[in-house]
Amino acid sequence: MPDIAVYPGSFDPITNGHLDLIQRALKIFDRIIVAVATNAFKKSLFTIEERMEMCRVSLAEFPQVSVDTFEGLLVKYARRQNVRAILRGLRAVTDFEYEFQLAMMNRRLEPEIETVFLMTGLRWVFLSSSILKEAAVHGGDIEGMVPEIVFHRLRAKFGLE
Ligand code: ADP
């Protein structure tokens, strides 16, 4: 059976930090499912279709990676997909507490599926989708922090091109 991990998140939008993490995870897992969340409480800048398309285009060179969406409980989705692990990224210490709570809750809901944390490359330690959007909306130069499609989509969204 292949080792599959699900990498859940908002991906609003996908950044080079996410890509770095996926490339690291591909050294460990045979397949990765990027699962874009339709989050009931979080307001997103891009629609689910836009977020998925940006993920697909940015990950086109990796046939082992697929892009999907899920609604509701992540662990139920993970179980349906027969995955071995949930993949999450850790940046600076600030991520730790929330990620720890989330992993513990998911373990309680589904003891069979482990959460695996990987650390990004140093270059991306301070990169988050929200900081990125904040910079982009004010016309800050975000080149080199995101895949090309995201660069253009962000600029278009904020009327900069
Ligand atoms: P969520 O809303 O679930 O936090 P995100 O898309 O913001 O969704 O993040 C998804 C996962 O990717 C999280 O585990 C987050 O810690 C991780 N992540 C986000 N940005 C980076 C980055 N620059 N480096 C490493 N991991 C990251």
Side-chain angles (χ1 to χ4, degrees):
M1 233 177 65
D3 274 346
I4 311 174
V6 62
Y7 182 27
S10 312
F11 302 100
D12 186 38
I14 187 164
T15 69
N16 286 354
H18 294 120
L19 289 183
D20 178 286
L21 208 81
I22 291 167
Q23 279 166 270
R24 284 171 203 279
L26 280 174
K27 295 183 197 152
I28 304 171
F29 296 99
D30 301 320
R31 275 188 52 209
I32 292 167
I33 306 171
V34 173
V36 185
T38 48
N39 200 315
F41 301 110
K42 255 192 187 173
K43 207 172 147 22
S44 59
L45 175 67
F46 293 100
T47 65
I48 190 82
E49 289 79 17
E50 290 172 321
R51 286 182 274 152
M52 287 177 75
E53 192 205 353
M54 287 185 279
C55 287
R56 274 203 199 98
V57 172
S58 313
L59 291 160
E61 65 188 282
F62 303 107
Q64 321 90 303
V65 181
S66 55
V67 178
D68 194 13
T69 180
F70 72 100
E71 222 175 329
L73 269 189
L74 169 67
V75 286
K76 278 199 185 155
Y77 170 80
R79 208 189 173 121
R80 277 203 308 277
Q81 300 293 320
N82 259 319
V83 307
R84 170 160 298 183
I86 294 169
L87 175 67
R88 294 288 287 180
L90 284 180
R91 284 163 294 194
V93 276
T94 42
D95 275 341
F96 183 78
E97 192 166 354
Y98 173 71
E99 292 293 338
F100 185 78
Q101 286 176 353
L102 194 67
M104 286 304 161
M105 175 57 95
N106 283 336
R107 180 186 284 171
R108 185 172 171 160
L109 296 172
E110 179 52 77
E112 293 296 310
I113 300 178
E114 295 294 343
T115 300
V116 171
F117 294 100
L118 292 183
M119 274 175 268
T120 45
L122 265 185
R123 297 173 69 187
W124 317 116
V125 158
F126 294 105
L127 181 60
S128 70
S129 301
S130 29
I131 296 275
L132 186 85
K133 286 181 277 190
E134 194 72 30
V137 73
H138 299 298
D141 185 8
I142 53 162
E143 198 162 8
M145 299 182 203
V146 287
E148 203 179 326
I149 182 176
V150 176
F151 178 79
H152 292 296
R153 290 294 164 82
L154 269 173
R155 288 181 60 86
K157 193 65 120 186
F158 296 131
L160 299 169
E161 67 179 36

